Amino acid sequence: MSIAPDADTIIVGAGPAGMACAIELAAAGCRVIVLDMQPSPGGQIFRALETNMQARPGADELLSALGPSYKAGLALVTRFRATPGIDYRPGTTVWDLRADGTVGWLKGDAAGYLRAPHVVVASGAMERPAPFPGWTLPGVMTAGAVQTLLKAGRLKPNGRIVLAGTGPLIFLLADQLRRLGVRPALIARTDGAWDKVAALGRLRPAGLPALLKGLGWLLRLRLAGVTMRTGISGLEAHGHDHIESVRLTVAGSRIELPCDLLVVHDGIVPSTDLAHAAGLALAWRADDGSWQPVTMPDGRAEMAPGPT
């Protein structure tokens, strides 16, 4: 006896991609269930957007610091909420995904399974933490974690702050902190001059707006007097029950700086835990050192080859 599906499509994740997919499918007449572990839609990019907008004018300083791109997500969130045919289930953790479209879920003390002929995995990306001496000390955080505290907790750090790593999120966060009146003591970049030259060869016209936005962050940080160093290595965090200083190598010299908060970021990688659980084929991307699901030209995921 066959079991009737619970929906035409189950979407895992209510970030920008998951919301946009749900809207399009529901508009086409599909029954859609959206499962998301967060309490409200938006994902990491638009985290707590509705709450912060409702808290105005108390949240105006934060909204101004996060910039227009953050507030622009409200149109998508509003449309997602208003679209008929979307069964949105927040606060729900997906812990199992099977190749036949069975999805295991957990919410509070309740748990169960849902089934659909189609499942869309929109679980996004995750930061790639790189271990270094002292990385488990209290006061060492990733850039994404600090952004979570800004958006969801309306908290801002104080004291001597060092940002270390590479990628645009470091500069975006530093500029947001600057707007909140928090000036980092140092931005320690692990990329060097040669990395910038090599990256120019991969630049495409579609990437120019993002490049110009990044240059704007750098310019504003420079004008604010934020110190930056490139090509740093040998990062270490030191302290007893919390971070007290950082050590690093700059231009061949070993230096130590007092530090109350060390923010690290080494890029993001696709979140592949559910894809792996479903037995999907994964391909290694040597250019950024990550795995990603293998998809067909129509977007469907390929299954990993079975044992021979």
Side-chain angles (χ1 to χ4, degrees):
M1 183 177 67
S2 62
I3 300 176
D6 298 286
D8 296 311
T9 303
I10 296 173
I11 299 174
V12 182
M19 288 190 291
C21 181
I23 292 168
E24 292 297 322
L25 289 174
C30 297
R31 295 176 300 132
V32 181
I33 296 176
V34 179
L35 305 176
D36 189 61
M37 66 181 353
Q38 303 301 331
S40 60
Q44 302 295 340
I45 302 298
F46 303 129
R47 178 185 290 275
L49 175 55
E50 291 174 308
T51 303
N52 288 327
M53 293 297 290
Q54 292 165 3
R56 302 180 71 179
D60 280 348
E61 181 188 25
L62 173 64
L63 290 168
S64 177
L66 293 177
S69 296
Y70 177 69
K71 290 184 287 186
L74 186 61
L76 177 62
V77 173
T78 301
R79 187 180 175 196
F80 172 76
R81 291 276 200 186
T83 300
I86 298 176
D87 181 358
Y88 168 54
R89 305 186 186 185
T92 303
T93 299
V94 173
W95 63 272
D96 186 23
L97 176 60
R98 303 176 186 176
D100 64 356
T102 300
V103 179
W105 60 269
L106 173 68
K107 182 172 184 177
D109 295 330
Y113 287 95
L114 294 169
R115 294 169 181 82
H118 304 285
V119 176
V120 176
V121 179
S123 49
M126 58 181 288
E127 285 189 277
R128 172 174 29 209
F132 57 89
W135 74 312
T136 59
L137 275 173
V140 179
M141 302 179 67
T142 65
V146 175
Q147 273 213 324
T148 296
L149 292 178
L150 287 176
K151 295 175 180 177
R154 295 181 209 149
L155 301 173
K156 63 180 179 180
N158 55 26
R160 299 159 298 187
I161 302 170
V162 175
L163 294 91
T166 188
L169 186 55
I170 283 283
F171 308 115
L172 171 60
L173 177 59
D175 192 53
Q176 291 170 342
L177 293 176
R178 177 194 64 80
R179 290 171 180 266
L180 288 169
V182 179
R183 192 174 79 173
L186 173 67
I187 298 177
R189 301 171 56 174
T190 54
D191 58 296
W194 173 247
D195 297 304
K196 302 181 186 67
V197 174
L200 288 176
R202 296 176 176 268
L203 184 62
R204 299 293 181 267
L208 285 175
L211 176 62
L212 293 175
K213 182 182 291 187
L215 292 174
W217 297 334
L218 290 173
L219 177 60
R220 288 191 292 269
L221 291 168
R222 293 285 190 188
L223 292 176
V226 177
T227 302
M228 297 187 201
R229 295 289 184 268
T230 59
I232 71 104
S233 61
L235 179 66
E236 297 179 3
H238 292 272
H240 293 92
D241 57 348
H242 59 86
I243 187 170
E244 298 172 6
S245 66
V246 296
R247 293 177 188 168
L248 45 86
T249 299
V250 182
S253 299
R254 194 71 177 161
I255 64 173
E256 183 169 359
L257 298 172
C259 180
D260 300 304
L261 174 65
L262 173 60
V263 183
V264 294
H265 181 71
D266 290 285
I268 59 174
V269 294
S271 180
T272 58
D273 49 350
L274 289 178
H276 186 72
L280 304 183
L282 300 176
W284 176 253
R285 291 184 52 175
D287 56 348
D288 67 357
S290 69
W291 294 93
Q292 71 172 18
V294 178
T295 57
M296 303 177 191
D298 62 0
R300 288 180 299 163
E302 293 186 12
M303 298 300 300
T308 57

Coordinates of all heavy atoms in Angstrom, one line a residue, residues 167-258:
G167 N 38.3 37.0 3.0 CA 37.0 37.0 2.5 C 36.2 38.3 2.8 O 36.5 39.0 3.8
P168 N 35.1 38.5 2.0 CA 34.4 39.8 2.2 C 33.7 39.9 3.5 O 33.4 41.1 3.9 CB 33.4 39.7 1.0 CG 33.3 38.3 0.6 CD 34.7 37.7 0.9
L169 N 33.3 38.8 4.2 CA 32.6 39.0 5.4 C 33.4 39.7 6.5 O 32.8 40.4 7.3 CB 32.1 37.6 5.9 CG 31.2 37.6 7.1 CD1 30.0 38.4 6.9 CD2 30.9 36.2 7.5
I170 N 34.7 39.5 6.5 CA 35.5 40.3 7.4 C 35.4 41.8 7.3 O 35.2 42.5 8.3 CB 37.0 39.9 7.2 CG1 37.3 38.5 7.8 CG2 37.9 40.9 7.8 CD1 37.5 38.5 9.3
F171 N 35.4 42.2 6.0 CA 35.3 43.7 5.8 C 33.9 44.2 6.0 O 33.7 45.3 6.5 CB 35.8 44.0 4.4 CG 37.1 43.5 4.1 CD1 37.3 42.5 3.1 CD2 38.2 43.9 4.9 CE1 38.6 42.0 2.9 CE2 39.5 43.3 4.6 CZ 39.7 42.4 3.6
L172 N 32.9 43.4 5.6 CA 31.5 43.8 5.9 C 31.2 43.9 7.4 O 30.7 45.0 7.8 CB 30.5 42.7 5.3 CG 29.0 42.9 5.7 CD1 28.5 44.2 5.2 CD2 28.2 41.7 5.1
L173 N 31.7 43.0 8.2 CA 31.5 43.0 9.6 C 32.2 44.2 10.2 O 31.7 44.9 11.0 CB 31.9 41.7 10.3 CG 31.9 41.7 11.8 CD1 30.4 41.9 12.3 CD2 32.4 40.4 12.3
A174 N 33.5 44.4 9.7 CA 34.2 45.6 10.3 C 33.5 46.9 10.0 O 33.5 47.8 10.8 CB 35.6 45.5 9.7
D175 N 33.0 47.0 8.8 CA 32.3 48.2 8.4 C 31.0 48.4 9.2 O 30.6 49.5 9.6 CB 31.9 48.3 6.9 CG 31.5 49.6 6.4 OD1 32.2 50.6 6.7 OD2 30.4 49.7 5.8
Q176 N 30.3 47.3 9.5 CA 29.1 47.4 10.3 C 29.5 47.8 11.8 O 28.7 48.6 12.4 CB 28.4 46.0 10.3 CG 27.7 45.7 9.0 CD 27.2 44.2 8.9 OE1 27.6 43.4 9.7 NE2 26.4 44.0 8.0
L177 N 30.5 47.2 12.3 CA 31.0 47.6 13.6 C 31.4 49.1 13.7 O 31.1 49.8 14.6 CB 32.2 46.8 14.1 CG 31.9 45.3 14.3 CD1 33.2 44.6 14.6 CD2 30.9 45.1 15.4
R178 N 32.0 49.6 12.6 CA 32.4 51.0 12.5 C 31.1 51.9 12.6 O 31.1 52.9 13.3 CB 33.1 51.2 11.2 CG 33.5 52.7 10.9 CD 33.9 52.9 9.5 NE 32.9 52.7 8.5 CZ 31.9 53.5 8.3 NH1 31.8 54.7 8.9 NH2 31.0 53.2 7.4
R179 N 30.1 51.5 11.9 CA 28.8 52.2 11.9 C 28.2 52.3 13.2 O 27.5 53.2 13.6 CB 27.8 51.6 10.9 CG 28.3 51.8 9.4 CD 27.3 51.0 8.5 NE 27.7 51.1 7.1 CZ 27.1 52.0 6.2 NH1 26.2 52.9 6.7 NH2 27.5 52.1 5.0
L180 N 28.5 51.2 14.0 CA 27.9 51.2 15.4 C 28.8 51.9 16.4 O 28.6 51.8 17.6 CB 27.7 49.7 15.8 CG 26.6 48.9 15.1 CD1 26.7 47.5 15.4 CD2 25.2 49.5 15.6
G181 N 29.9 52.5 15.9 CA 30.8 53.2 16.8 C 31.9 52.3 17.4 O 32.5 52.7 18.4
V182 N 32.1 51.1 16.9 CA 33.1 50.2 17.4 C 34.2 50.1 16.4 O 34.0 49.5 15.3 CB 32.5 48.8 17.7 CG1 33.5 47.8 18.2 CG2 31.3 48.9 18.7
R183 N 35.4 50.6 16.7 CA 36.5 50.6 15.8 C 37.4 49.4 16.1 O 38.0 49.4 17.2 CB 37.2 51.9 15.8 CG 38.2 52.0 14.6 CD 38.8 53.4 14.5 NE 39.9 53.5 15.5 CZ 40.7 54.6 15.5 NH1 40.5 55.6 14.7 NH2 41.7 54.6 16.4
P184 N 37.6 48.4 15.2 CA 38.5 47.4 15.4 C 39.9 47.9 15.6 O 40.3 48.8 14.9 CB 38.4 46.5 14.2 CG 37.0 46.8 13.6 CD 36.8 48.3 13.9
A185 N 40.7 47.2 16.5 CA 42.1 47.6 16.6 C 42.9 47.2 15.5 O 43.9 47.8 15.1 CB 42.6 47.0 17.9
L186 N 42.5 46.1 14.8 CA 43.3 45.6 13.7 C 42.5 44.6 12.8 O 41.7 43.8 13.3 CB 44.6 44.8 14.2 CG 45.4 44.1 13.1 CD1 46.1 45.0 12.2 CD2 46.4 43.1 13.8
I187 N 42.7 44.7 11.5 CA 42.2 43.7 10.6 C 43.4 43.0 10.0 O 44.2 43.6 9.3 CB 41.3 44.4 9.4 CG1 40.1 45.1 10.0 CG2 40.9 43.3 8.4 CD1 39.3 45.8 8.9
A188 N 43.6 41.8 10.4 CA 44.7 41.0 10.0 C 44.3 40.0 8.9 O 43.7 39.0 9.1 CB 45.3 40.2 11.2
R189 N 44.8 40.4 7.6 CA 44.3 39.6 6.5 C 45.4 38.5 6.1 O 46.6 38.8 6.0 CB 44.2 40.6 5.3 CG 43.2 41.7 5.5 CD 43.2 42.7 4.4 NE 43.0 42.1 3.1 CZ 42.8 42.9 2.0 NH1 42.9 44.2 2.1 NH2 42.6 42.3 0.8
T190 N 44.9 37.3 6.0 CA 45.7 36.2 5.6 C 46.1 36.2 4.1 O 47.0 35.5 3.7 CB 45.1 34.9 6.0 OG1 43.8 34.8 5.4 CG2 45.0 34.7 7.5
D191 N 45.3 36.9 3.3 CA 45.7 37.0 1.9 C 46.8 38.0 1.7 O 47.0 38.9 2.5 CB 44.5 37.4 1.1 CG 43.9 38.8 1.5 OD1 43.4 38.8 2.7 OD2 43.9 39.7 0.7
G192 N 47.6 37.8 0.6 CA 48.7 38.7 0.3 C 48.5 39.4 -1.0 O 47.5 39.2 -1.7
A193 N 49.5 40.1 -1.4 CA 49.5 40.9 -2.6 C 49.3 40.0 -3.8 O 48.6 40.3 -4.8 CB 50.7 41.8 -2.8
W194 N 50.0 38.9 -3.8 CA 49.9 38.0 -5.0 C 48.5 37.4 -5.1 O 48.0 37.2 -6.2 CB 50.9 36.8 -4.9 CG 50.8 35.8 -5.9 CD1 50.3 34.5 -5.8 CD2 50.9 36.0 -7.3 NE1 50.3 33.9 -7.0 CE2 50.6 34.7 -8.0 CE3 51.3 37.1 -8.1 CZ2 50.7 34.6 -9.3 CZ3 51.4 36.9 -9.5 CH2 51.1 35.7 -10.1
D195 N 47.8 37.2 -4.0 CA 46.5 36.6 -4.1 C 45.6 37.7 -4.8 O 44.7 37.3 -5.6 CB 45.9 36.4 -2.7 CG 46.7 35.3 -2.0 OD1 46.8 34.2 -2.5 OD2 47.2 35.6 -0.9
K196 N 45.8 38.9 -4.5 CA 44.9 40.0 -5.2 C 45.2 40.0 -6.7 O 44.3 40.1 -7.5 CB 45.2 41.3 -4.6 CG 45.0 41.4 -3.1 CD 45.3 42.8 -2.7 CE 45.3 43.0 -1.1 NZ 46.3 42.2 -0.5
V197 N 46.5 39.9 -7.1 CA 46.8 39.9 -8.5 C 46.2 38.6 -9.2 O 45.7 38.7 -10.3 CB 48.3 39.9 -8.7 CG1 48.7 39.7 -10.2 CG2 48.9 41.2 -8.2
A198 N 46.3 37.5 -8.5 CA 45.8 36.2 -9.1 C 44.3 36.3 -9.3 O 43.7 35.8 -10.2 CB 46.2 35.0 -8.3
A199 N 43.6 36.9 -8.3 CA 42.2 37.0 -8.4 C 41.7 37.9 -9.5 O 40.6 37.7 -10.0 CB 41.6 37.6 -7.0
L200 N 42.5 38.9 -9.9 CA 42.0 39.8 -11.0 C 41.8 39.0 -12.3 O 41.0 39.3 -13.1 CB 43.1 40.9 -11.2 CG 43.1 41.9 -10.2 CD1 44.3 42.9 -10.4 CD2 41.8 42.7 -10.1
G201 N 42.6 37.9 -12.5 CA 42.5 37.1 -13.7 C 41.2 36.3 -13.7 O 40.8 35.9 -14.8
R202 N 40.5 36.2 -12.6 CA 39.2 35.4 -12.5 C 38.0 36.4 -12.5 O 36.9 35.9 -12.5 CB 39.2 34.5 -11.3 CG 40.2 33.4 -11.3 CD 40.2 32.6 -10.0 NE 41.1 31.5 -10.0 CZ 40.8 30.3 -10.4 NH1 39.6 30.0 -10.8 NH2 41.7 29.3 -10.4
L203 N 38.3 37.7 -12.5 CA 37.2 38.7 -12.4 C 36.4 38.6 -13.7 O 36.9 38.7 -14.8 CB 37.8 40.1 -12.2 CG 36.7 41.2 -12.0 CD1 35.9 40.9 -10.7 CD2 37.5 42.5 -11.8
R204 N 35.0 38.6 -13.5 CA 34.1 38.7 -14.6 C 33.2 39.9 -14.5 O 33.0 40.4 -13.4 CB 33.2 37.4 -14.7 CG 34.0 36.1 -14.8 CD 34.7 36.1 -16.2 NE 35.5 34.8 -16.4 CZ 36.7 34.7 -16.2 NH1 37.4 35.7 -15.7 NH2 37.4 33.5 -16.4
P205 N 32.6 40.4 -15.6 CA 31.8 41.6 -15.5 C 30.7 41.5 -14.4 O 30.4 42.5 -13.8 CB 31.2 41.7 -16.9 CG 32.2 41.1 -17.8 CD 32.8 39.9 -17.0
A206 N 30.1 40.3 -14.2 CA 29.0 40.2 -13.3 C 29.5 40.4 -11.8 O 28.7 40.7 -10.9 CB 28.4 38.8 -13.4
G207 N 30.8 40.2 -11.6 CA 31.4 40.4 -10.3 C 31.8 41.8 -10.0 O 32.1 42.1 -8.8
L208 N 31.7 42.7 -10.9 CA 32.1 44.1 -10.7 C 31.3 44.8 -9.6 O 31.9 45.5 -8.8 CB 32.0 44.9 -12.0 CG 33.2 44.6 -13.0 CD1 32.9 45.4 -14.3 CD2 34.5 45.0 -12.4
P209 N 30.0 44.7 -9.5 CA 29.2 45.4 -8.5 C 29.7 44.9 -7.1 O 29.8 45.8 -6.2 CB 27.8 45.0 -8.7 CG 27.7 44.7 -10.2 CD 29.0 44.1 -10.5
A210 N 29.9 43.6 -6.9 CA 30.4 43.1 -5.6 C 31.8 43.7 -5.3 O 32.1 44.0 -4.1 CB 30.4 41.6 -5.6
L211 N 32.6 43.7 -6.3 CA 34.0 44.3 -6.1 C 33.9 45.7 -5.7 O 34.6 46.1 -4.8 CB 34.8 44.1 -7.4 CG 36.2 44.7 -7.4 CD1 37.1 44.0 -6.4 CD2 36.8 44.6 -8.8
L212 N 33.1 46.5 -6.3 CA 33.0 47.9 -6.0 C 32.4 48.1 -4.6 O 32.9 49.0 -3.8 CB 32.1 48.6 -7.0 CG 32.6 48.7 -8.4 CD1 31.6 49.4 -9.4 CD2 33.9 49.5 -8.4
K213 N 31.5 47.2 -4.2 CA 31.0 47.3 -2.8 C 32.1 47.0 -1.8 O 32.2 47.7 -0.8 CB 29.8 46.3 -2.7 CG 29.2 46.3 -1.3 CD 28.1 45.3 -1.1 CE 26.9 45.6 -2.0 NZ 25.8 44.7 -1.7
G214 N 32.9 46.0 -2.1 CA 34.0 45.7 -1.2 C 35.0 46.8 -1.1 O 35.6 47.1 -0.1
L215 N 35.3 47.4 -2.3 CA 36.3 48.5 -2.3 C 35.7 49.7 -1.4 O 36.5 50.4 -0.8 CB 36.5 49.0 -3.7 CG 37.3 48.0 -4.6 CD1 37.4 48.5 -6.0 CD2 38.7 47.8 -4.0
G216 N 34.4 49.9 -1.5 CA 33.8 50.9 -0.6 C 34.0 50.6 0.9 O 34.2 51.5 1.6
W217 N 33.8 49.3 1.3 CA 34.1 49.0 2.7 C 35.5 49.3 3.0 O 35.8 49.9 4.1 CB 33.8 47.5 2.9 CG 32.4 47.1 2.7 CD1 31.3 47.8 2.8 CD2 32.0 45.7 2.3 NE1 30.2 47.0 2.5 CE2 30.6 45.8 2.2 CE3 32.7 44.5 2.0 CZ2 29.8 44.6 1.9 CZ3 31.9 43.4 1.7 CH2 30.5 43.5 1.6
L218 N 36.4 48.9 2.2 CA 37.9 49.1 2.5 C 38.2 50.6 2.6 O 38.9 51.1 3.5 CB 38.7 48.5 1.4 CG 38.8 47.0 1.4 CD1 39.6 46.5 0.1 CD2 39.4 46.4 2.6
L219 N 37.6 51.4 1.7 CA 37.8 52.9 1.7 C 37.3 53.5 3.0 O 38.0 54.3 3.7 CB 37.2 53.5 0.5 CG 37.3 55.1 0.4 CD1 38.7 55.5 0.4 CD2 36.5 55.6 -0.8
R220 N 36.1 53.1 3.4 CA 35.5 53.7 4.6 C 36.3 53.3 5.9 O 36.5 54.1 6.8 CB 34.1 53.3 4.7 CG 33.1 54.0 3.7 CD 31.7 53.8 4.0 NE 31.3 52.4 3.8 CZ 30.8 51.9 2.7 NH1 30.7 52.7 1.6 NH2 30.4 50.7 2.6
L221 N 36.8 52.0 5.9 CA 37.6 51.6 7.0 C 38.9 52.3 7.1 O 39.4 52.7 8.1 CB 37.8 50.1 6.9 CG 36.6 49.2 7.1 CD1 36.8 47.8 6.7 CD2 36.1 49.3 8.6
R222 N 39.5 52.5 5.9 CA 40.8 53.3 5.9 C 40.6 54.7 6.4 O 41.4 55.2 7.2 CB 41.3 53.3 4.4 CG 41.8 52.0 3.9 CD 43.1 51.6 4.5 NE 43.7 50.4 3.8 CZ 44.7 49.8 4.2 NH1 45.4 50.2 5.3 NH2 45.2 48.7 3.5
L223 N 39.5 55.4 5.9 CA 39.2 56.7 6.3 C 38.9 56.8 7.8 O 39.1 57.9 8.4 CB 38.0 57.3 5.5 CG 38.3 57.5 4.0 CD1 37.0 58.0 3.3 CD2 39.4 58.6 3.8
A224 N 38.4 55.7 8.4 CA 38.1 55.7 9.8 C 39.3 55.4 10.6 O 39.3 55.4 11.9 CB 37.0 54.7 10.1
G225 N 40.5 55.2 10.0 CA 41.7 54.9 10.7 C 41.9 53.5 11.2 O 42.7 53.3 12.1
V226 N 41.2 52.6 10.6 CA 41.3 51.2 11.1 C 42.6 50.6 10.4 O 42.8 50.7 9.2 CB 40.1 50.3 10.6 CG1 40.3 48.9 11.0 CG2 38.8 50.9 11.3
T227 N 43.4 50.0 11.3 CA 44.7 49.5 10.8 C 44.5 48.1 10.1 O 43.7 47.3 10.7 CB 45.7 49.3 12.0 OG1 45.9 50.6 12.6 CG2 47.0 48.7 11.5
M228 N 45.1 47.9 9.0 CA 45.0 46.7 8.3 C 46.4 46.2 7.9 O 47.3 47.0 7.6 CB 44.2 46.8 6.9 CG 42.8 47.2 7.1 SD 41.9 47.2 5.5 CE 40.5 48.2 5.9
R229 N 46.6 44.9 8.0 CA 47.8 44.2 7.6 C 47.5 43.0 6.8 O 46.6 42.3 7.1 CB 48.7 43.8 8.9 CG 49.1 44.9 9.7 CD 50.2 45.7 9.0 NE 50.8 46.8 9.9 CZ 50.4 48.0 9.9 NH1 49.4 48.4 9.1 NH2 50.9 48.9 10.7
T230 N 48.3 42.8 5.7 CA 48.0 41.7 4.8 C 49.2 40.7 4.9 O 50.2 41.0 5.4 CB 47.9 42.2 3.3 OG1 49.2 42.8 3.0 CG2 46.8 43.1 3.1
G231 N 48.9 39.5 4.5 CA 49.9 38.4 4.5 C 50.3 37.9 5.9 O 51.4 37.4 6.1
I232 N 49.3 38.0 6.8 CA 49.7 37.6 8.2 C 49.7 36.1 8.3 O 49.0 35.4 7.5 CB 48.8 38.2 9.3 CG1 47.4 37.6 9.2 CG2 48.7 39.7 9.1 CD1 47.1 36.6 10.3
S233 N 50.4 35.5 9.2 CA 50.4 34.1 9.4 C 50.7 33.8 10.9 O 51.0 34.7 11.7 CB 51.5 33.4 8.5 OG 52.8 34.0 8.9
G234 N 50.7 32.5 11.2 CA 51.0 32.1 12.6 C 50.1 32.7 13.7 O 50.6 33.0 14.8
L235 N 48.8 32.7 13.4 CA 47.9 33.3 14.4 C 47.8 32.5 15.6 O 47.6 31.2 15.5 CB 46.5 33.5 13.7 CG 45.4 34.1 14.6 CD1 45.7 35.5 14.9 CD2 44.0 34.0 13.9
E236 N 47.9 33.1 16.8 CA 47.7 32.4 18.0 C 46.9 33.3 19.0 O 47.0 34.5 19.0 CB 49.0 32.1 18.7 CG 49.9 31.2 17.9 CD 51.3 30.9 18.6 OE1 51.4 31.5 19.8 OE2 52.1 30.2 18.1
A237 N 46.0 32.7 19.8 CA 45.3 33.4 20.8 C 45.8 32.9 22.2 O 46.0 31.7 22.4 CB 43.8 33.0 20.7
H238 N 46.0 33.9 23.1 CA 46.6 33.6 24.4 C 45.8 34.2 25.5 O 45.1 35.3 25.3 CB 48.0 34.1 24.5 CG 49.0 33.4 23.6 ND1 49.7 32.3 24.0 CD2 49.4 33.7 22.3 CE1 50.4 31.9 23.0 NE2 50.3 32.7 21.9
G239 N 45.7 33.5 26.6 CA 45.0 34.0 27.8 C 44.8 32.8 28.7 O 45.2 31.7 28.5
H240 N 44.2 33.1 29.9 CA 43.9 32.0 30.9 C 42.5 31.5 30.7 O 42.3 30.5 30.1 CB 44.2 32.6 32.3 CG 45.7 32.9 32.5 ND1 46.2 34.1 32.2 CD2 46.7 32.1 32.9 CE1 47.5 34.1 32.5 NE2 47.9 32.9 32.9
D241 N 41.6 32.2 31.4 CA 40.2 31.7 31.2 C 39.4 32.4 30.1 O 38.3 32.2 29.8 CB 39.4 31.9 32.5 CG 39.5 33.3 33.1 OD1 40.2 34.1 32.5 OD2 38.7 33.6 34.0
H242 N 40.1 33.4 29.4 CA 39.6 34.1 28.3 C 40.7 34.7 27.5 O 41.9 34.7 28.0 CB 38.6 35.2 28.7 CG 39.2 36.2 29.6 ND1 39.9 37.3 29.1 CD2 39.3 36.3 30.9 CE1 40.3 38.0 30.1 NE2 40.0 37.5 31.2
I243 N 40.4 35.1 26.3 CA 41.5 35.7 25.4 C 42.0 37.0 26.0 O 41.2 37.8 26.5 CB 41.0 35.9 24.0 CG1 42.2 36.3 23.1 CG2 39.9 36.9 23.9 CD1 41.9 36.3 21.6
E244 N 43.3 37.1 26.0 CA 43.9 38.4 26.5 C 44.8 39.0 25.5 O 45.1 40.2 25.5 CB 44.7 38.1 27.8 CG 43.9 37.5 28.9 CD 44.7 37.1 30.1 OE1 46.0 37.2 30.1 OE2 44.2 36.5 31.1
S245 N 45.4 38.2 24.5 CA 46.2 38.8 23.5 C 46.3 37.8 22.3 O 45.9 36.7 22.4 CB 47.7 39.0 24.0 OG 48.3 37.7 24.3
V246 N 46.7 38.4 21.2 CA 46.9 37.6 20.0 C 48.4 37.8 19.5 O 48.9 38.9 19.7 CB 46.0 38.0 18.8 CG1 44.5 37.7 19.2 CG2 46.1 39.5 18.5
R247 N 48.9 36.7 19.0 CA 50.2 36.8 18.4 C 50.1 36.4 16.9 O 49.3 35.5 16.5 CB 51.2 35.8 19.0 CG 51.5 36.2 20.5 CD 52.4 35.1 21.1 NE 52.6 35.4 22.5 CZ 53.2 34.5 23.4 NH1 53.6 33.3 22.9 NH2 53.3 34.8 24.7
L248 N 50.9 37.1 16.1 CA 50.9 36.8 14.6 C 52.1 37.3 14.0 O 52.9 38.1 14.6 CB 49.6 37.4 14.0 CG 49.3 38.8 14.3 CD1 50.0 39.8 13.4 CD2 47.8 39.0 14.2
T249 N 52.4 36.8 12.8 CA 53.6 37.2 12.1 C 53.2 38.1 10.9 O 52.3 37.8 10.1 CB 54.3 36.0 11.5 OG1 54.7 35.1 12.6 CG2 55.5 36.4 10.7
V250 N 53.8 39.3 10.9 CA 53.5 40.3 9.9 C 54.8 40.7 9.2 O 55.7 41.2 10.0 CB 52.8 41.5 10.4 CG1 52.5 42.5 9.3 CG2 51.5 41.1 11.1
A251 N 55.0 40.5 7.9 CA 56.2 40.9 7.2 C 57.4 40.3 7.9 O 58.5 41.0 8.0 CB 56.3 42.4 7.1
G252 N 57.3 39.1 8.3 CA 58.5 38.4 8.9 C 58.7 38.7 10.3 O 59.6 38.1 10.9
S253 N 58.0 39.6 11.0 CA 58.2 39.9 12.4 C 57.0 39.4 13.2 O 55.8 39.4 12.8 CB 58.2 41.4 12.5 OG 59.3 42.0 11.8
R254 N 57.4 38.8 14.4 CA 56.4 38.3 15.3 C 56.0 39.4 16.2 O 56.8 40.0 16.9 CB 57.0 37.1 16.1 CG 56.1 36.3 16.8 CD 55.3 35.4 15.9 NE 54.3 34.5 16.6 CZ 53.3 34.0 16.0 NH1 53.0 34.2 14.8 NH2 52.5 33.2 16.7
I255 N 54.6 39.6 16.3 CA 54.1 40.7 17.1 C 53.0 40.1 18.1 O 52.4 39.1 17.8 CB 53.6 41.9 16.3 CG1 52.3 41.5 15.5 CG2 54.6 42.5 15.5 CD1 51.6 42.6 14.8
E256 N 52.8 40.8 19.2 CA 51.7 40.4 20.1 C 50.9 41.7 20.4 O 51.4 42.8 20.7 CB 52.3 39.8 21.4 CG 51.2 39.3 22.3 CD 51.7 38.5 23.4 OE1 53.0 38.2 23.5 OE2 50.9 38.1 24.3
L257 N 49.6 41.5 20.4 CA 48.7 42.7 20.7 C 47.7 42.3 21.8 O 47.2 41.1 21.8 CB 47.9 43.0 19.4 CG 48.6 43.5 18.1 CD1 47.7 43.6 17.0 CD2 49.3 44.8 18.4
P258 N 47.4 43.2 22.7 CA 46.3 42.9 23.6 C 45.0 42.8 22.9 O 44.7 43.5 21.9 CB 46.3 44.2 24.5 CG 47.0 45.2 23.7 CD 47.9 44.5 22.8

